[in-house]
Amino acid sequence: MTVGEEAMGAVLNRLKRAQGQLAGVIAMIEAGRDCADVVTQLAAVSRALDRAGFKVVASGMRQCVETADGEQPPLSEAALEKLFLALA
């Protein structure tokens, strides 16, 4: 399974956002911030990572359902990603 260039850009953006959020969580812990605030930010990091993973899977699913003659499937990549997220 490969990830298309357009999907790769979206995945990288999400991962960079998660990286920034994680750096923020580390700084919060080092500063002794409230546990509830830290957990809230950790949950945001987790969601960002999940979304990046789902985007990779959705991109691969789209490639798998393309027809033999290269035509696009009836569902867009965004629609496939939404369906996958509904199952997760």
Side-chain angles (χ1 to χ4, degrees):
M1 175 176 84
T2 60
V3 178
E5 286 185 39
E6 184 178 319
M8 183 62 69
V11 168
L12 288 174
N13 285 339
R14 289 175 183 184
L15 289 174
K16 288 176 184 179
R17 187 176 316 126
Q19 183 179 32
Q21 290 172 318
L22 185 56
V25 170
I26 291 169
M28 290 172 72
I29 292 171
E30 290 174 342
R33 293 279 303 271
D34 181 62
C35 180
D37 293 338
V38 171
V39 170
T40 298
Q41 289 305 309
L42 279 173
V45 172
S46 179
R47 282 190 305 273
L49 292 174
D50 287 344
R51 298 283 298 181
F54 293 146
K55 185 71 171 173
V56 169
V57 171
S59 177
M61 287 173 55
R62 183 165 197 226
Q63 291 175 9
C64 289
V65 297
E66 285 182 346
T67 60
D69 60 3
E71 289 183 19
Q72 296 297 315
L75 293 175
S76 69
E77 186 173 320
L80 286 170
E81 181 180 7
K82 187 174 182 176
L83 287 173
F84 184 80
L85 287 171
L87 295 173

